[in-house]
Amino acid sequence: MEASPPATPNGKQQHLLEQLRRAAHELSGQDLHAQLRNTPQAMGLATVYRHLRQLQQRGLVRCRHLPSGEALFAPTERDEHHLTCVDCGRTVPLPACPMHGDDLSPQQLDGFQLLFHTLEFFGLCPLCQQRQQG
Amino acid sequence: MEASPPATPNGKQQHLLEQLRRAAHELSGQDLHAQLRNTPQAMGLATVYRHLRQLQQRGLVRCRHLPSGEALFAPTERDEHHLTCVDCGRTVPLPACPMHGDDLSPQQLDGFQLLFHTLEFFGLCPLCQQRQQG
DNA sequence: GATAGAGTGAGTATCATTCTCAGTCAAGGG
DNA sequence: CCCTTGACTGAGAATGATACTCACTCTATC
Ligand SMILES: [Mn+2]
Ligand SMILES: [Mn+2]
Ligand SMILES: [Zn+2]
Ligand SMILES: [Zn+2]
């Protein structure tokens, strides 16, 4: 079934991570699976989700959930957050992380080894504000 | 099917919101549905989720997604965030919101009317750190 | 070349959430 | 009083993302 031999252990997981890093924006599990179709790094959907979970556990990947329910994944070194409309679902990226490096105090950390955070803002976009007025 | 007449329009939605406010912690849609079972305010699961969505759109309720996939809902006036273990899933509440009221600048807001935010931290809990060492 | 272990994917299962649609009710007009 | 309209509801079915199963292939080791 495989034409080329696996180069190195964890090769597929490495490829998945690089795919995410190369992408211009966040991708869903389904996106990743679809993008790798018909490439030498194609992998099953189960494998995509397996690796995404492991990468999250290693602190290399983070995900956020859209109001629609789909999860979008991004590499954690890309410290990006969003403003999302609770009505139409439109989301726009923030120019910078509003926490500007403020980390938790040791007391707040409670022994945890911090890996990453998610920070998302929600509101009404200009169009949906209008629609609710009129 | 109804014994008592609906007192006022939106009565059920009001009850759902009060249920959430009265609760000691966040609740899932299923939790809410189960808790209202066998009370005068019982409502179908579809109605629970309908109202949760509407309350979110009005900025009264916020939700976060556990790694397990279930969504937990809380009233937005309860400005609480968490530290969650990416390995075992244990989550502990933070004593205070680390953004201490820092809001977005008008430029960042981009015309949005801000309703609420979600902020969650992820890492390895002390036990899972040990387990990975040993 | 026998064995053990890691990695994989097609198919299936799970399960939270959403959709469908017909029933109930309140209000308003005639 | 009917009758229409629109808001609200819930049982059950549909959806869809994610997890699980299990048999198979490689690799490494002896
Ligand atoms: Mn950040
Ligand atoms: Mn906060
Ligand atoms: Zn909008
Ligand atoms: Zn843990």
Side-chain angles (χ1 to χ4, degrees):
Chain A
M1 192 180 296
E2 287 292 325
S4 50
T8 151
N10 283 338
K12 295 242 170 121
Q13 182 166 311
Q14 208 37 242
H15 275 298
L16 193 67
L17 181 55
E18 281 162 18
Q19 179 83 359
L20 259 188
R21 288 183 166 151
R22 230 177 296 120
H25 49 63
E26 314 147 289
L27 296 173
S28 70
Q30 310 275 354
D31 289 341
L32 283 162
H33 176 245
Q35 286 198 8
L36 292 173
R37 259 195 187 308
N38 309 320
T39 79
Q41 291 80 38
M43 65 186 80
L45 195 51
T47 304
V48 169
Y49 283 111
R50 249 193 305 254
H51 286 158
L52 283 173
R53 196 180 339 125
Q54 290 170 2
L55 288 168
Q56 258 179 290
Q57 292 181 342
R58 292 166 52 198
L60 298 172
V61 158
R62 144 185 44 209
C63 82
R64 70 172 175 127
H65 287 82
L66 295 184
S68 74
E70 75 178 329
L72 297 181
F73 297 83
T76 48
E77 75 265 15
R78 195 183 305 160
D79 187 10
E80 205 171 81
H81 309 284
H82 306 80
L83 192 47
T84 299
C85 178
V86 293
D87 199 343
C88 68
R90 192 162 69 91
T91 102
V92 307
L94 295 179
C97 174
M99 292 233 316
H100 42 70
D102 284 11
D103 264 341
L104 296 179
S105 72
Q107 190 193 8
Q108 288 175 316
L109 274 176
D110 201 21
F112 271 68
Q113 174 194 345
L114 192 61
L115 292 174
F116 57 88
H117 63 264
T118 67
L119 171 56
E120 299 294 324
F121 295 86
F122 296 87
L124 281 170
C125 76
L127 271 67
C128 288
Q129 286 175 55
Q130 273 195 326
R131 188 147 38 73
Q132 288 197 6
Q133 302 285 338
Chain B
M1 194 177 295
E2 286 293 325
S4 50
T8 149
N10 282 340
K12 295 239 171 123
Q13 182 167 311
Q14 211 34 244
H15 274 299
L16 193 67
L17 181 54
E18 280 161 19
Q19 178 84 359
L20 258 188
R21 288 183 166 151
R22 230 176 296 120
H25 48 64
E26 313 150 290
L27 296 173
S28 69
Q30 310 275 352
D31 289 340
L32 282 162
H33 177 244
Q35 286 198 9
L36 293 173
R37 262 194 185 306
N38 309 320
T39 79
Q41 291 80 37
M43 66 186 80
L45 197 51
T47 303
V48 170
Y49 283 111
R50 250 192 304 255
H51 286 158
L52 284 173
R53 195 179 341 124
Q54 289 169 3
L55 289 168
Q56 257 179 291
Q57 293 183 343
R58 291 166 53 198
L60 298 172
V61 158
R62 145 184 45 209
C63 81
R64 70 174 175 128
H65 288 82
L66 293 184
S68 75
E70 75 177 330
L72 297 181
F73 296 83
T76 48
E77 75 265 16
R78 196 183 304 161
D79 188 11
E80 206 171 80
H81 309 284
H82 306 80
L83 192 47
T84 300
C85 178
V86 293
D87 199 343
C88 68
R90 191 163 70 89
T91 102
V92 308
L94 296 180
C97 174
M99 293 233 316
H100 43 70
D102 283 12
D103 264 342
L104 297 179
S105 71
Q107 190 194 6
Q108 288 175 316
L109 275 178
D110 201 21
F112 271 68
Q113 174 192 346
L114 192 62
L115 291 174
F116 57 88
H117 64 264
T118 67
L119 171 57
E120 300 294 324
F121 295 86
F122 296 88
L124 281 169
C125 76
L127 271 68
C128 289
Q129 285 176 55
Q130 273 194 325
R131 188 148 38 75
Q132 288 196 5
Q133 302 285 338

